[in-house]
């Protein structure tokens, strides 16, 4: 079993930055792929960034490409999402996910809210 604990959400003005963190606990050998999704009420959950920690291959949704950066610290079993140039449309609940392979879907965190005001 794997537990994912997110932190780093909050409120920021447009153009600002935030960094989300997600720590994996438990059977972390099964978390080769870690990533971030986001969801707003009434919409599907959107995959925005993933990293395959074995070789650091990354994926970004077009909506965040060039603004968000995903990274991983193997020693800390932690994945980060650095979000720059935030826009009001980035407002959502952000979820960390992990799995043996990408895209991750097996394990989920509780979510952390990001709110961007104009």
């Amino acid at each position: 079993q794997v537990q994912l604990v997110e932190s780093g959400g909050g409120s920021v003005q447009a153009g600002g930055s935030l960094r989300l963190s997600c720590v994996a606990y438990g059977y972390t050998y099964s978390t080769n792929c870690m990533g971030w999704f986001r969801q707003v009420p009434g919409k599907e959950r959107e995959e925005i960034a993933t990293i395959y920690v074995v070789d650091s291959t990354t994926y970004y949704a077009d909506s965040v490409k060039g603004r968000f950066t995903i990274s991983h610290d193997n020693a800390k079993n932690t994945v980060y999402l650095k979000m720059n140039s935030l826009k009001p449309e980035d407002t959502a609940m952000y979820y960390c996910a992990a799995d043996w392979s990408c895209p991750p879907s097996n394990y989920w965190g509780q979510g952390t809210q990001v709110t961007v005001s104009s």
Side-chain angles (χ1 to χ4, degrees), residues 9 12 46 71 95:
V12 65
E46 175 190 14
S71 60
Y95 295 92

Side-chain angles (χ1 to χ4, degrees), residues 4-5 12 25 48 74 79 82 87 95 98 104-105 110:
L4 303 175
V5 179
V12 65
Y25 298 95
I48 57 171
N74 286 338
V79 65
K82 182 64 188 301
K87 305 175 181 180
Y95 295 92
S105 62
Q110 79 284 358

Side-chain angles (χ1 to χ4, degrees), residues 72-88:
H72 184 262
D73 186 328
N74 286 338
K76 297 181 179 180
N77 294 318
T78 300
V79 65
Y80 303 97
L81 186 68
K82 182 64 188 301
M83 305 184 293
N84 295 327
S85 302
L86 283 162
K87 305 175 181 180

Side-chain angles (χ1 to χ4, degrees), residues 82-105:
K82 182 64 188 301
M83 305 184 293
N84 295 327
S85 302
L86 283 162
K87 305 175 181 180
E89 51 263 43
D90 293 318
T91 296
M93 184 69 78
Y94 284 70
Y95 295 92
C96 176
D99 210 329
W100 179 260
S101 61
C102 291
S105 62

Side-chain angles (χ1 to χ4, degrees), residues 59-79:
Y59 159 83
Y60 294 97
D62 288 342
S63 57
V64 306
K65 201 172 292 183
R67 301 187 297 122
F68 291 10
T69 303
I70 190 169
S71 60
H72 184 262
D73 186 328
N74 286 338
K76 297 181 179 180
N77 294 318
T78 300
V79 65

Side-chain angles (χ1 to χ4, degrees), residues 35-57:
W36 292 92
F37 292 69
R38 67 186 181 188
Q39 189 171 25
V40 297
K43 291 191 176 182
E44 294 282 326
R45 189 171 293 189
E46 175 190 14
E47 178 186 6
I48 57 171
T50 61
I51 185 166
Y52 188 61
V53 303
V54 174
D55 60 8
S56 297
T57 301

